[in-house]
Amino acid sequence: MAVAVGRGYLVQPCSSSSSIFHNKIYKPSLGAASTLWSTSAPRRYGQIAVQPQQRPTWLPGLDPPAYLDGTLAGDYGFDPLGLGEDPESLKWYVQAELVHARFAMAGVAGILFTDLLRVTGISNLPVWYEAGAVKFEFASTRTLIVVQLFLMGFVETKRYMDFISPGSQAKEGSFFGLEAALEGLEPGYPGGPLLNPLGLAKDIKNAHEWKLKEIKNGRLAMIAMLGIFVQAFVTHAGPIDNLVEHLSNPWHKTIIQTLANSSS
């Protein structure tokens, strides 16, 4: 489609993507197009090539920050607070998001699975937000907390050391002789038969598609986890209970009615 600009310039699509502006002289044609201007001065036309956006962004048409160049998995230029301007901080935030995403995926799966067992009566389990108050016969709550702090502290320390010095935790003797089971592909991706039993991303440098799928699912899980938190706070019920209640009357038992009833 041609667009007239000013008095004598015509902007048209350009077939060449390497040229931004080309000035050409065209002879006026007879018919309706020749009556656009009454002057006999030569018409001067130009062509402008509009290049499409190079990569998708979280907000279409938005220019991403220069430091988010699309090389990171799941990079859609989203950083409204500018937290990743410092390269070292950006590396840490990438690892932090990855860990939170994995915890969220495990948490959502665990909550839904145990809640399904509880609702169907297969197992007498507490609702997920009351599970922490359950007393177990095989160990006291204090013992469980100490063991968890020790195990999580050990794993997180190893992860941090691998972040500071990539590959250092895969050296022989650094993990009780189990280094071959982890391989230490790169920070955040230990791999190996223990954490990558199917061998889906052995070549981690070229596993961009797998990284993208993981971070997308992880971000969705973090949003789902937030929804489960809010849902439990408002309805005092598990996600499966809420789903069953909604399906029983989809038009009248929605989030709008639920929030309205909770505030009244």
Short mmCIF file of all heavy atoms in Angstrom, two decimals, residues 108-123 125-129 228 231 237-243:
data_model
loop_
_atom_site.label_atom_id
_atom_site.label_comp_id
_atom_site.label_asym_id
_atom_site.label_seq_id
_atom_site.Cartn_x
_atom_site.Cartn_y
_atom_site.Cartn_z
N VAL A 108 4.44 -27.38 42.96
CA VAL A 108 3.11 -27.48 42.35
C VAL A 108 2.75 -28.94 42.10
O VAL A 108 1.62 -29.38 42.39
CB VAL A 108 3.06 -26.68 41.03
CG1 VAL A 108 1.78 -26.97 40.26
CG2 VAL A 108 3.15 -25.18 41.32
N ALA A 109 3.70 -29.70 41.56
CA ALA A 109 3.44 -31.12 41.31
C ALA A 109 3.14 -31.85 42.61
O ALA A 109 2.20 -32.68 42.68
CB ALA A 109 4.64 -31.76 40.61
N GLY A 110 3.90 -31.57 43.67
CA GLY A 110 3.68 -32.23 44.95
C GLY A 110 2.34 -31.87 45.57
O GLY A 110 1.63 -32.73 46.11
N ILE A 111 1.98 -30.59 45.51
CA ILE A 111 0.71 -30.15 46.09
C ILE A 111 -0.48 -30.77 45.35
O ILE A 111 -1.42 -31.28 45.97
CB ILE A 111 0.62 -28.61 46.07
CG1 ILE A 111 1.58 -28.01 47.08
CG2 ILE A 111 -0.80 -28.14 46.35
CD1 ILE A 111 1.68 -26.51 47.03
N LEU A 112 -0.43 -30.75 44.03
CA LEU A 112 -1.54 -31.30 43.26
C LEU A 112 -1.67 -32.81 43.45
O LEU A 112 -2.78 -33.34 43.57
CB LEU A 112 -1.36 -30.97 41.77
CG LEU A 112 -1.46 -29.49 41.39
CD1 LEU A 112 -1.22 -29.32 39.90
CD2 LEU A 112 -2.81 -28.91 41.79
N PHE A 113 -0.54 -33.50 43.48
CA PHE A 113 -0.57 -34.96 43.63
C PHE A 113 -1.12 -35.37 44.99
O PHE A 113 -2.02 -36.21 45.10
CB PHE A 113 0.82 -35.54 43.41
CG PHE A 113 0.89 -37.02 43.55
CD1 PHE A 113 0.31 -37.85 42.60
CD2 PHE A 113 1.53 -37.61 44.64
CE1 PHE A 113 0.36 -39.24 42.74
CE2 PHE A 113 1.59 -38.99 44.78
CZ PHE A 113 1.00 -39.80 43.82
N THR A 114 -0.58 -34.77 46.06
CA THR A 114 -1.05 -35.14 47.40
C THR A 114 -2.48 -34.67 47.64
O THR A 114 -3.25 -35.36 48.33
CB THR A 114 -0.12 -34.52 48.47
OG1 THR A 114 -0.03 -33.10 48.27
CG2 THR A 114 1.27 -35.12 48.37
N ASP A 115 -2.85 -33.54 47.06
CA ASP A 115 -4.23 -33.06 47.23
C ASP A 115 -5.21 -33.97 46.50
O ASP A 115 -6.33 -34.19 46.97
CB ASP A 115 -4.35 -31.63 46.71
CG ASP A 115 -5.38 -30.82 47.49
OD1 ASP A 115 -5.38 -30.92 48.72
OD2 ASP A 115 -6.17 -30.09 46.86
N LEU A 116 -4.78 -34.50 45.36
CA LEU A 116 -5.63 -35.43 44.62
C LEU A 116 -5.82 -36.73 45.42
O LEU A 116 -6.93 -37.28 45.48
CB LEU A 116 -5.01 -35.73 43.26
CG LEU A 116 -5.83 -36.60 42.30
CD1 LEU A 116 -7.14 -35.92 41.95
CD2 LEU A 116 -5.04 -36.89 41.03
N LEU A 117 -4.75 -37.21 46.05
CA LEU A 117 -4.86 -38.40 46.88
C LEU A 117 -5.78 -38.15 48.07
O LEU A 117 -6.56 -39.04 48.48
CB LEU A 117 -3.48 -38.84 47.37
CG LEU A 117 -2.48 -39.31 46.31
CD1 LEU A 117 -1.15 -39.67 46.97
CD2 LEU A 117 -3.02 -40.51 45.54
N ARG A 118 -5.71 -36.97 48.63
CA ARG A 118 -6.54 -36.64 49.80
C ARG A 118 -8.02 -36.53 49.42
O ARG A 118 -8.89 -37.09 50.10
CB ARG A 118 -6.06 -35.33 50.41
CG ARG A 118 -6.84 -34.87 51.64
CD ARG A 118 -6.34 -33.53 52.12
NE ARG A 118 -6.55 -32.51 51.10
CZ ARG A 118 -7.71 -31.86 50.91
NH1 ARG A 118 -8.75 -32.16 51.65
NH2 ARG A 118 -7.81 -30.94 49.98
N VAL A 119 -8.31 -35.82 48.33
CA VAL A 119 -9.70 -35.59 47.94
C VAL A 119 -10.37 -36.88 47.50
O VAL A 119 -11.55 -37.12 47.80
CB VAL A 119 -9.76 -34.53 46.81
CG1 VAL A 119 -11.17 -34.41 46.24
CG2 VAL A 119 -9.30 -33.18 47.33
N THR A 120 -9.64 -37.73 46.80
CA THR A 120 -10.22 -38.99 46.33
C THR A 120 -10.29 -40.05 47.43
O THR A 120 -10.90 -41.10 47.22
CB THR A 120 -9.39 -39.55 45.16
OG1 THR A 120 -8.02 -39.68 45.56
CG2 THR A 120 -9.48 -38.62 43.95
N GLY A 121 -9.70 -39.78 48.57
CA GLY A 121 -9.75 -40.72 49.68
C GLY A 121 -8.75 -41.84 49.58
O GLY A 121 -8.80 -42.80 50.38
N ILE A 122 -7.84 -41.79 48.65
CA ILE A 122 -6.84 -42.84 48.51
C ILE A 122 -5.88 -42.85 49.70
O ILE A 122 -5.44 -43.91 50.16
CB ILE A 122 -6.06 -42.66 47.19
CG1 ILE A 122 -7.02 -42.82 46.00
CG2 ILE A 122 -4.91 -43.64 47.09
CD1 ILE A 122 -6.36 -42.59 44.66
N SER A 123 -5.56 -41.67 50.19
CA SER A 123 -4.64 -41.57 51.32
C SER A 123 -5.14 -40.49 52.27
O SER A 123 -5.68 -39.47 51.85
CB SER A 123 -3.23 -41.23 50.83
OG SER A 123 -2.33 -41.13 51.92
N LEU A 125 -4.15 -37.83 53.90
CA LEU A 125 -3.11 -36.81 53.98
C LEU A 125 -3.72 -35.48 54.39
O LEU A 125 -4.87 -35.17 54.05
CB LEU A 125 -2.42 -36.66 52.62
CG LEU A 125 -1.64 -37.87 52.11
CD1 LEU A 125 -1.18 -37.64 50.68
CD2 LEU A 125 -0.45 -38.16 53.02
N PRO A 126 -2.95 -34.65 55.09
CA PRO A 126 -3.46 -33.32 55.41
C PRO A 126 -3.41 -32.41 54.19
O PRO A 126 -2.67 -32.68 53.24
CB PRO A 126 -2.49 -32.84 56.51
CG PRO A 126 -1.22 -33.55 56.19
CD PRO A 126 -1.62 -34.90 55.65
N VAL A 127 -4.19 -31.35 54.21
CA VAL A 127 -4.11 -30.37 53.13
C VAL A 127 -2.73 -29.75 53.16
O VAL A 127 -2.09 -29.66 54.21
CB VAL A 127 -5.22 -29.30 53.30
CG1 VAL A 127 -4.97 -28.45 54.53
CG2 VAL A 127 -5.33 -28.44 52.04
N TRP A 128 -2.22 -29.31 52.02
CA TRP A 128 -0.81 -28.99 51.90
C TRP A 128 -0.32 -27.93 52.87
O TRP A 128 0.81 -28.00 53.37
CB TRP A 128 -0.51 -28.54 50.46
CG TRP A 128 -1.08 -27.20 50.09
CD1 TRP A 128 -2.30 -26.95 49.56
CD2 TRP A 128 -0.44 -25.94 50.22
NE1 TRP A 128 -2.48 -25.61 49.36
CE2 TRP A 128 -1.34 -24.95 49.75
CE3 TRP A 128 0.81 -25.53 50.70
CZ2 TRP A 128 -1.04 -23.59 49.75
CZ3 TRP A 128 1.12 -24.17 50.69
CH2 TRP A 128 0.19 -23.22 50.22
N TYR A 129 -1.16 -26.92 53.19
CA TYR A 129 -0.68 -25.84 54.07
C TYR A 129 -0.72 -26.23 55.54
O TYR A 129 -0.30 -25.45 56.40
CB TYR A 129 -1.48 -24.55 53.83
CG TYR A 129 -2.98 -24.71 53.88
CD1 TYR A 129 -3.67 -24.74 55.09
CD2 TYR A 129 -3.72 -24.81 52.71
CE1 TYR A 129 -5.04 -24.89 55.14
CE2 TYR A 129 -5.09 -24.95 52.74
CZ TYR A 129 -5.74 -24.99 53.95
OH TYR A 129 -7.11 -25.14 53.98
N ILE A 228 -1.86 -20.64 44.08
CA ILE A 228 -2.22 -21.61 45.12
C ILE A 228 -2.13 -20.97 46.50
O ILE A 228 -2.97 -21.21 47.38
CB ILE A 228 -1.31 -22.85 45.02
CG1 ILE A 228 -1.64 -23.64 43.74
CG2 ILE A 228 -1.48 -23.75 46.24
CD1 ILE A 228 -0.71 -24.81 43.49
N GLN A 231 -5.11 -18.63 46.81
CA GLN A 231 -6.32 -19.44 46.87
C GLN A 231 -6.51 -20.04 48.27
O GLN A 231 -7.62 -20.03 48.82
CB GLN A 231 -6.22 -20.55 45.83
CG GLN A 231 -7.51 -21.24 45.49
CD GLN A 231 -7.32 -22.23 44.36
OE1 GLN A 231 -6.38 -23.02 44.37
NE2 GLN A 231 -8.20 -22.20 43.39
N ALA A 237 -8.90 -23.82 51.47
CA ALA A 237 -9.09 -25.15 50.88
C ALA A 237 -7.95 -25.42 49.91
O ALA A 237 -7.23 -24.51 49.50
CB ALA A 237 -10.44 -25.26 50.18
N GLY A 238 -7.80 -26.69 49.54
CA GLY A 238 -6.76 -27.07 48.61
C GLY A 238 -7.16 -26.80 47.18
O GLY A 238 -8.34 -26.53 46.88
N PRO A 239 -6.22 -26.85 46.24
CA PRO A 239 -6.53 -26.54 44.83
C PRO A 239 -7.51 -27.51 44.20
O PRO A 239 -8.34 -27.11 43.38
CB PRO A 239 -5.16 -26.60 44.15
CG PRO A 239 -4.30 -27.42 45.06
CD PRO A 239 -4.79 -27.17 46.43
N ILE A 240 -7.45 -28.80 44.55
CA ILE A 240 -8.38 -29.77 43.98
C ILE A 240 -9.79 -29.51 44.50
O ILE A 240 -10.78 -29.59 43.75
CB ILE A 240 -7.94 -31.21 44.29
CG1 ILE A 240 -6.53 -31.46 43.74
CG2 ILE A 240 -8.92 -32.20 43.69
CD1 ILE A 240 -6.41 -31.32 42.24
N ASP A 241 -9.92 -29.17 45.78
CA ASP A 241 -11.23 -28.82 46.34
C ASP A 241 -11.82 -27.62 45.62
O ASP A 241 -13.01 -27.59 45.30
CB ASP A 241 -11.11 -28.52 47.84
CG ASP A 241 -10.90 -29.78 48.66
OD1 ASP A 241 -11.52 -30.80 48.32
OD2 ASP A 241 -10.13 -29.74 49.63
N ASN A 242 -10.99 -26.64 45.39
CA ASN A 242 -11.48 -25.44 44.68
C ASN A 242 -11.88 -25.75 43.25
O ASN A 242 -12.85 -25.19 42.73
CB ASN A 242 -10.39 -24.35 44.70
CG ASN A 242 -10.27 -23.69 46.07
OD1 ASN A 242 -11.25 -23.21 46.62
ND2 ASN A 242 -9.07 -23.67 46.61
N LEU A 243 -11.11 -26.62 42.60
CA LEU A 243 -11.44 -27.00 41.23
C LEU A 243 -12.77 -27.74 41.17
O LEU A 243 -13.61 -27.47 40.30
CB LEU A 243 -10.32 -27.86 40.65
CG LEU A 243 -10.54 -28.39 39.23
CD1 LEU A 243 -10.69 -27.25 38.24
CD2 LEU A 243 -9.40 -29.32 38.81
#
